[in-house]
Structure formats: C-alpha cells, structure tokens
Amino acid sequence: MSLARRILEMEESPTMAVTAKAKALKAAGEPVIGFGAGEPDFATPDHIVEAARAAALDPASHRYTPAGGTPALRTAIAEQTTAYTGVDYTADNVIVANGGKHALYDIFQALVDDGDEVLIPAPYWVSYPEQVKLAQGVPVAVPTTKDTGFRTDPAQLETYRTARTKVLVFVSPSNPTGAVYAPDEIAAIGRWAAEHDLWVVTDEIYQHLVYGDASFASLPAVAPEAAAKTVIAHGVAKTYAMTGWRVGWAVAPIEVAKAMNKLQSQMTSNVCNVAQAAALAAITGPQDDVATMLEAFDRRRRTAVDLLGAIDGVEVAEPEGAFYVFPSFEGVLGRTIGGREVTTALELADVLLEQAKVAVVPGEAFGAPGYARLSYALGDEDLAAGIARIAELLG
Ligand code: PLP
C-alpha cells in the first residue's frame, strides 16, 4: 500500500494514544488510574445540556449553517474576545471549528507555507509540530526547563529567529507544564514579535483555569502592537467540561478568518449545530459551575504537587494554570524499577502502566525527555491512590 508521505511522516497524538490504552485496559477490567487525558472528570453543566436538547428539537438545527459557525455563536465569541482583549472584533473575525485542535489546524493551514518556520516553546502541546508539518512548515522547538519555570523570553526567542521565521506559538496557561506567564512577560514577547513582523498564534484554551496569585493575560491585550498579526485559538472543552462536544474557535484578522472559512467550506462545513448551541449557552450562561470545578482542580493541584514532591528522585514545579503537573523523573532514571532497568521517561511510563496500572504521558511526547505529564482532572481519591501507586513502585 502506498500511503501519502505526509501521513507516513506524521506522529499519532501520544496523549490520545495513552488515553485510549488506559480506557481499553479499564474496560477489560484492569484497575487502571488514568492521568493521561486532558479532560475534566465532571459532567457538562445541566443548563448547557438543556440548551443542546432544545436545539436538537428545533428543525432549524437540522440544516447546514454557515461553514464558519452560527451568527449567534460567532457574535457572542467576538463580543467576549473584544471585552478581554480591547481589540475590536466582530462575527466576521471568528471561525467556529471542531474543537480548539481543529481551529489550530485551520490557522496553520491559513498562515504557513512551504519551509516557513514556526517557533514553538517546548515543552509543547503535542499537536502543534504535527499540524505545522501538515502545512509544510518547519516546527522549531524553543526549549525551556523547570529552571525558568518553563517560560521563554524575547532574548531566547531571538536566538531561534531566522529569515524564514513566520509564526510564534504562544500558550499561557500551558499544556503540559501548567506555566502561566506574567502580563509584562507576555507584553515583552508580543512587542518582540511585532518588532520582527511575526504572526502570533496564541492558544487561550486554558484562559479560565488559573490558580493562586497567577492571573491570565491575553497577548493582544497587553501587546496591542501585535494584535494586527495575532490569531487566538480557544474553545469550550476545558472550561466547561465539554471535551466531547467538539467546539472551538479562532479569532483572527479578517483576511485570515476568510481563509479559514474557505478551508472549512471545503473540508468540514459547519460544526454540529446542537454542539454550537451548547457552546453558546456555555459562554453566555451562568458561570457558577466553572468556579466549582476550578476549586476542585486547585485542591487537586496542591495534592498532586505535595504527593509527587515527596517521592525520592521526583522534582515538581508548582503549576499555576491548566490541570497538569509536569514533574521531572530524571532522578529515578537509571534505576531498576519493577525488575526493569528504566532509562527514559518513555520506559518509565510503560512500567508504570504495566505494573502500577497508572497511565501518565511521557515527556518525550512534549519534546521534554525525563519528564512526564499527569493530568489532575480526575477524582480526588483516584488522584491520591494513583500517586501512592507511583510512589510504591518507585520506592
Ligand atoms: N490547545 C491546548 C493547549 C490543549 O491542551 C488542547 C487539548 O488538549 C487543545 C488546544 C484542543 O482542545 P479541543 O480540541 O478539545 O478544543
């Protein structure tokens, strides 16, 4: 069989693969505790589900809508984005896509040409490099470590900029590290991008998931000079426990929005109308459930940091956003664990799943060998029991 080179050269999403493996083992009766999935364990709030039910009963939802999304949802997204960025957006700047992941795919397809370089601070979310490659671009990882709180800055970025650099990917709060940049750090990065006439793709999917003293700041809000060449990717999945509904969006300068619209008109047509109605209810309705979930995530975050930090050889920086911890396991590599010599995080993840029945995502997936990502968006009891199993196996 001769498959296309672009498919042969691309990696399957390792986070989806770990999640699928853990779910399959669980379904087969294994007592697996999954730290792999980047999804809240809560049900979608009732009023959102009710809005979907009403939409499903309305024959208007049984038809195509504009490829880029329903006018009501696009308008609501534009209004909210203008409110927190200070940048004037209308529905024409918004494209509703099949999740934030699809919005990002649209964005890279619209912006990136053959050989264009895209700077991606590492550790990075698994799909950015693959999506850039699918657009014939060249992903350029900009490595960061726990020593800088997994944050980059203009001085470091400048050392990776070439004449082919076209786009910077910027994410705060970050997946997989949970790092949150301070507003002045974001402003400096935005100014640097504007100075070099780069596009910024800023992924704001974890906007509402910040803890403690940290606060979210949007790049075009704190660096208005970068706004004309900034595209925001966003969605309802993480904030409203709606990963399965598949609604995300891009907010972009008009030419880019038109390009993405053209692409979707040939690729997917509109996102499911019922899901769009649910997303509209999510972003315009009561936000109490978000506060409740946030409280639970914050509690679990502290538990995860405490329990992981107490394991010999494990170092964990306190994440300030999203729902991931990203500990370094470098101190345990080289040991014999469960009868196997473990030298990489990849092998460690394998042994943990096999012998402790705990699923984590190895750092290699995010361009960060030696680390692993654990999502703490799971029940409190499972969280504590899962880390206890890790401690026991490593102990
Ligand atoms: N961006 C980041 C940083 C993510 O972590 C994710 C999901 O894991 C997404 C985008 C995409 O989310 P979705 O496609 O479920 O909206």
Side-chain angles (χ1 to χ4, degrees):
M1 204 193 302
S2 59
L3 292 174
R5 203 180 57 219
R6 73 179 156 277
I7 291 299
L8 294 173
E9 285 175 357
M10 98 186 254
E11 307 274 342
E12 192 178 336
S13 164
T15 49
M16 298 294 264
V18 168
T19 308
K21 193 168 173 185
K23 281 184 179 170
L25 284 170
K26 218 169 170 172
E30 298 269 13
V32 170
I33 297 180
F35 290 96
E39 59 182 352
D41 59 322
F42 297 100
T44 303
D46 284 348
H47 72 277
I48 300 174
V49 178
E50 281 309 320
R53 190 197 305 272
L57 289 168
D58 179 356
S61 310
H62 306 169
R63 310 281 173 252
Y64 295 122
T65 67
T70 62
L73 180 57
R74 288 163 84 174
T75 302
I77 291 166
E79 284 172 4
Q80 290 203 350
T81 313
T82 293
Y84 74 80
T85 59
V87 182
D88 254 339
Y89 294 115
T90 71
D92 291 339
N93 296 103
V94 179
I95 296 296
V96 177
N98 196 47
K101 186 178 271 184
H102 180 209
L104 284 154
Y105 179 86
D106 284 346
I107 294 167
F108 292 127
Q109 287 293 322
L111 290 180
V112 176
D113 255 327
D114 283 22
D116 285 342
E117 293 175 11
V118 178
L119 300 181
I120 306 176
Y124 44 69
W125 180 54
V126 295
S127 296
Y128 302 133
E130 297 308 316
Q131 293 194 351
V132 167
K133 285 194 264 174
L134 282 171
Q136 258 81 58
V138 180
V140 177
V142 178
T144 70
T145 65
K146 60 184 180 326
D147 302 331
T148 58
F150 299 110
R151 298 194 300 272
T152 185
D153 60 18
Q156 189 196 16
L157 289 167
E158 184 60 23
T159 64
Y160 286 85
R161 188 176 64 83
T162 72
R164 291 307 311 261
T165 307
K166 183 167 184 189
V167 179
L168 165 71
V169 173
F170 180 76
V171 199
S172 173
S174 149
N175 173 7
T177 65
V180 178
Y181 287 68
D184 60 326
E185 294 171 329
I186 302 175
I189 289 172
R191 277 197 302 273
W192 171 83
E195 200 179 303
H196 299 291
D197 203 27
L198 302 180
W199 283 92
V200 179
V201 174
T202 183
D203 185 340
E204 301 189 336
I205 199 138
Y206 295 104
Q207 172 181 11
H208 301 290
L209 303 180
V210 285
Y211 312 103
D213 294 334
S215 61
F216 168 83
S218 176
L219 187 139
V222 294
E225 54 275 78
K229 290 189 82 170
T230 294
V231 184
I232 296 171
H234 214 312
V236 290
K238 315 289 178 174
T239 314
Y240 301 100
M242 291 180 72
T243 47
W245 295 77
R246 311 311 303 136
V247 184
W249 56 84
V251 181
I254 208 78
E255 291 310 316
V256 182
K258 276 188 189 160
M260 292 189 287
N261 196 55
K262 184 161 74 172
L263 179 62
Q264 284 200 183
S265 78
Q266 295 289 13
M267 188 166 64
T268 53
S269 297
N270 63 278
V271 171
C272 166
N273 291 338
V274 172
Q276 289 195 67
L280 180 61
I283 67 168
T284 58
Q287 302 294 302
D288 322 3
D289 295 301
V290 177
T292 307
M293 289 190 269
L294 199 64
E295 215 179 286
F297 293 148
D298 190 17
R299 182 178 65 241
R300 296 167 188 176
R301 174 182 74 109
R302 285 181 272 113
T303 305
V305 169
D306 290 349
L307 296 180
L308 284 164
I311 302 175
D312 178 42
V314 178
E315 274 188 67
V316 55
E318 185 169 319
E320 295 187 300
F323 38 55
Y324 309 102
V325 266
F326 199 62
S328 161
F329 286 90
E330 282 156 318
V332 304
L333 299 182
R335 290 189 198 165
T336 300
I337 300 169
R340 256 176 77 178
E341 196 192 337
V342 170
T343 56
T344 64
L346 211 60
E347 289 166 2
L348 178 66
D350 210 42
V351 172
L352 286 174
L353 186 55
E354 238 174 49
Q355 303 200 16
K357 307 289 177 217
V358 167
V360 305
V361 187
E364 282 89 343
F366 311 99
Y371 293 83
R373 189 192 78 176
L374 287 80
S375 161
Y376 50 83
L378 75 175
D380 295 79
E381 279 177 23
D382 273 356
L383 175 75
I387 299 178
R389 286 190 199 172
I390 297 174
E392 195 179 336
L393 189 67
L394 298 186

